[in-house]
Amino acid sequence: FRTVASPSEVWYLDHADNTWDVMFNYDPSTNLTSSQQALLLGGEVTMWTEHVDATNYLQWIHPRSNAVAERLWSFAQIGKATTDSDAFSDAVFKRLSEHRCRLVDRGIPAAPLGPGFCAQTYV
């Protein structure tokens, strides 16, 4: 069957131990045959609300959902997921950090990926 990957162990946003890099590093095609990979349409992240409410919802979904979106985009572009060495590259961190700053600039309180800051911040 055609399917959309939604692995609870890595792409559920309400699992606090699923950091952006863990979520980015997951390859949805792992352990699939080539014929099964052809049926993989994409993926999704999910959010349950046991640990979130209106005060922290946006911080929980950004940047982790953005990391999965980049993973899925790269998967769609090259037909396979990037390698582990690519997942932790400075380029990925830089792209996601820049996107986080764009969100903050637009008034979306996205959580930081790690140490660092946006050139323009609002308090």
Side-chain angles (χ1 to χ4, degrees):
F1 295 103
R2 291 185 209 147
T3 191
V4 172
S6 185
S8 63
E9 66 277 4
V10 288
W11 284 357
Y12 273 30
L13 293 169
D14 56 318
H15 294 182
D17 54 339
N18 292 344
T19 58
W20 77 268
D21 50 339
V22 168
M23 297 178 92
F24 179 85
N25 198 42
Y26 177 75
D27 179 351
S29 65
T30 299
N31 299 323
L32 298 180
T33 66
S34 58
S35 60
Q36 290 171 326
Q37 287 179 17
L39 297 171
L40 183 60
L41 300 175
E44 69 175 359
V45 294
T46 55
M47 169 64 84
W48 304 98
T49 57
E50 301 92 48
H51 306 289
V52 299
D53 61 19
T55 66
N56 64 353
Y57 174 74
L58 291 172
Q59 293 87 348
W60 275 76
I61 63 171
H62 298 290
R64 295 180 306 147
S65 63
N66 307 123
V68 174
E70 173 145 339
R71 162 60 82 185
L72 293 169
W73 180 86
S74 63
F75 184 82
Q77 295 301 308
I78 62 175
K80 63 181 180 72
T82 55
T83 64
D84 288 353
S85 61
D86 290 336
F88 296 102
S89 72
D90 291 338
V92 171
F93 182 82
K94 184 175 187 274
R95 276 193 308 276
L96 290 175
S97 293
E98 287 172 357
H99 183 61
R100 183 259 173 175
C101 290
R102 279 192 298 273
L103 292 171
V104 169
D105 187 47
R106 294 172 181 162
I108 300 168
L113 281 80
F117 60 93
C118 296
Q120 182 173 358
T121 57
Y122 301 91
V123 289

